[in-house]
Amino acid sequence: MGMLQEFKTFAMRGNVIDLAVGVVIGGAFGKIVTSLVDQIVMPPIGWVTGGIDFSDLKWVLREADNSNPAHKIPEVAVQYGAFINTIIQFLIIAFAIFVVVKLINRVTRHKEAVAAPAADVVLLTEIRDLLKEQQGKS
């Protein structure tokens, strides 16, 4: 089998396509969460904390020097405010994924419980049928 044919077989598997769809949806979901954090969650938090915009918080290690236009020196800073925003985004995404997985597990368990009787129920049913069979022979 040629390499192209093997690749086609690999790429057309259901789980690879599902993974690709999940990555695309995850990327879009990440943008939604970023917007939620930056434009909805953080402004009220900034308002409560006295107008602080977390994305602007930083620890400046070296100030920018623009005195010489031919040789500009950029600012060097640790932007911990952006890091705080990213942590909040991560927590929201993690919680959303937790809720989705929990719901999927609940639906899956419910379907399994309805679809297949428990092993002890099957065993007891077989014993009952054997006892009825024995009584019918006597």
Side-chain angles (χ1 to χ4, degrees):
M1 182 184 292
M3 185 182 245
L4 187 60
Q5 183 64 29
E6 286 181 49
F7 176 74
K8 181 180 175 185
T9 303
F10 168 77
M12 289 303 163
R13 285 190 185 141
N15 54 357
V16 173
I17 294 171
D18 292 344
L19 178 63
V21 170
V23 168
V24 171
I25 290 174
F29 185 69
K31 290 180 181 180
I32 290 169
V33 171
T34 299
S35 176
L36 174 73
V37 170
D38 292 343
Q39 295 153 354
I40 295 176
V41 173
M42 294 313 288
I45 291 175
W47 178 70
V48 168
T49 59
I52 297 173
D53 182 6
F54 282 92
S55 61
D56 293 336
L57 294 177
K58 58 186 171 185
W59 177 35
V60 179
L61 301 174
R62 182 179 70 194
E63 294 287 336
D65 183 9
N66 296 326
S67 59
N68 182 358
H71 185 68
K72 294 182 181 180
I73 299 174
E75 175 183 76
V76 177
V78 176
Q79 297 180 339
Y80 64 90
F83 182 68
I84 291 171
N85 281 354
T86 303
I87 290 172
I88 292 170
Q89 291 171 10
F90 168 76
L91 292 174
I92 290 172
I93 290 172
F95 181 73
I97 291 172
F98 168 76
V99 169
V100 168
V101 169
K102 190 169 177 74
L103 288 172
I104 289 172
N105 286 341
R106 183 179 297 160
V107 168
T108 304
R109 277 190 298 234
H110 180 68
K111 283 183 180 177
E112 288 174 0
V114 170
D120 56 347
V121 173
V122 171
L123 184 61
L124 289 171
T125 304
E126 289 175 2
I127 292 171
R128 181 199 64 203
D129 293 344
L130 287 172
L131 287 172
K132 280 183 184 179
E133 209 174 280
Q134 288 294 336
Q135 288 176 353
K137 291 181 180 179
S138 333

